[in-house]
Amino acid sequence: TLGGHTNFVCCLLRLRNGNLASGSYDSTIRIWNLKNKSCLTVIDGDTDKIMSLAQLPDGNMISGGSQWNIVTYEDNKVKDEIEGHQGCINSILVYINGLVITASADNTIKFWK
């Protein structure tokens, strides 16, 4: 058991380095070392619920949530927020070539370069 979030955990992402990222309704992403079950860092992510996580080809993360924006991270800090949906972003898929696909409660799927 890994404890630390203060609200529902909504999404998990196994990172390429073997760590685990968890996104929560508490607006944070936590990075966990699974070997010793410790929290390595807490990232203040979206201003609302983190509902989806993915890893970009460069190793950085991308998230979506109830704020309707895609949030990109660099070195575990918010880098950019990209607008485009009119509803919660429920799912993110990243292809090896960097193409990002998002699915939203606004009944759309969008493709991003």
Side-chain angles (χ1 to χ4, degrees):
T1 301
L2 303 172
H5 283 292
T6 59
N7 209 326
F8 299 113
V9 174
C10 192
C11 53
L12 298 171
L13 171 65
R14 180 72 183 255
L15 300 171
R16 286 186 214 111
N17 65 5
N19 291 332
L20 179 73
S22 58
S24 171
Y25 277 27
D26 68 8
S27 304
T28 67
I29 299 167
R30 289 180 179 260
I31 307 296
W32 305 91
N33 178 316
L34 294 178
K35 291 180 183 173
N36 64 17
K37 299 181 182 172
S38 66
C39 181
L40 300 173
T41 190
V42 178
I43 303 166
D44 290 320
D46 204 327
T47 57
D48 211 348
K49 301 168 183 147
I50 306 287
M51 301 173 73
S52 53
L53 286 169
Q55 192 167 28
L56 296 167
D58 66 5
N60 288 307
M61 286 187 299
I62 186 169
S63 73
S66 61
Q67 186 185 359
W68 306 359
N69 293 338
I70 299 167
V71 180
T72 61
Y73 303 85
E74 188 173 309
D75 299 323
N76 293 331
K77 293 182 174 83
V78 173
K79 178 183 176 186
D80 199 10
E81 294 187 35
I82 305 163
E83 297 180 6
H85 280 290
Q86 299 299 309
C88 300
I89 298 171
N90 299 312
S91 185
I92 297 177
L93 176 67
V94 177
Y95 280 94
I96 194 81
N97 67 359
L99 179 68
V100 175
I101 303 172
T102 56
S104 172
D106 66 7
N107 298 321
T108 65
I109 296 171
K110 296 196 177 202
F111 297 79
W112 309 83
K113 262 302 207 189

